[in-house]
Amino acid sequence: MENNLTYSRNGDYLIPDLTITEQTESIGKYGRMRKNYLKEHRPVLYNSLLLSEQLYPHLLEIERTAMARLEHMMPELMKSTGMTENLKASDPMRWVGLMNDLKAQAEETILTELIYS
């Protein structure tokens, strides 16, 4: 195995020149929440993922999974509570309030299952 690692002299010590590959894709709300959770509550896992360059792929996967779960759960929750287009047309403020409640409920599930686990 070829070693392409370079070193910089710092006094009497040789320090490896380590770099992390730049990420081009944004990680989004849920990815940032997961990153903060890992940083604060699981520092060993955070550092392991960061040093192995698996942190950002992990965060992107969390973001994609969370968004897919949200998109899947919202229609199911709307159906189970009986929300219809008629309600949206007849009482838009009530519809918005119920939608906000349903989204909060779905996000709580996502946070519990994906972000804080």
Side-chain angles (χ1 to χ4, degrees):
M1 185 165 125
E2 188 175 316
N3 185 358
N4 293 331
L5 195 57
T6 60
Y7 296 86
S8 300
R9 184 168 293 281
N10 189 353
D12 292 336
Y13 300 101
L14 290 176
I15 308 294
D17 298 326
L18 301 176
T19 58
I20 295 177
T21 307
E22 288 293 320
Q23 302 301 318
T24 57
E25 192 173 341
S26 172
I27 58 174
K29 171 186 173 181
Y30 298 109
R32 288 190 309 271
M33 291 172 81
R34 176 69 174 168
K35 180 180 177 184
N36 289 336
Y37 170 77
L38 290 175
K39 207 179 229 186
E40 292 177 19
H41 301 284
R42 306 280 305 274
V44 174
L45 178 57
Y46 174 80
N47 286 326
S48 174
L49 290 169
L50 182 65
L51 293 174
S52 66
E53 293 194 5
Q54 293 302 307
L55 179 63
Y56 284 95
H58 171 75
L59 298 176
L60 287 172
E61 181 62 28
I62 291 291
E63 178 70 22
R64 290 182 185 130
T65 304
M67 293 304 292
R69 288 287 309 271
L70 186 62
E71 288 175 14
H72 178 74
M73 289 175 73
M74 286 302 291
E76 288 181 357
L77 289 171
M78 289 172 65
K79 187 176 181 181
S80 69
T81 58
M83 288 185 61
T84 63
E85 289 298 314
N86 292 339
L87 177 63
K88 185 178 180 180
S90 64
D91 193 354
M93 291 305 290
R94 182 167 179 247
W95 184 86
V96 168
L98 288 172
M99 283 299 289
N100 287 341
D101 288 344
L102 294 180
K103 185 170 182 186
Q105 183 180 350
E107 282 190 333
E108 188 63 34
T109 302
I110 290 168
L111 295 177
T112 302
E113 293 177 358
L114 291 175
I115 308 301
Y116 304 134
S117 62

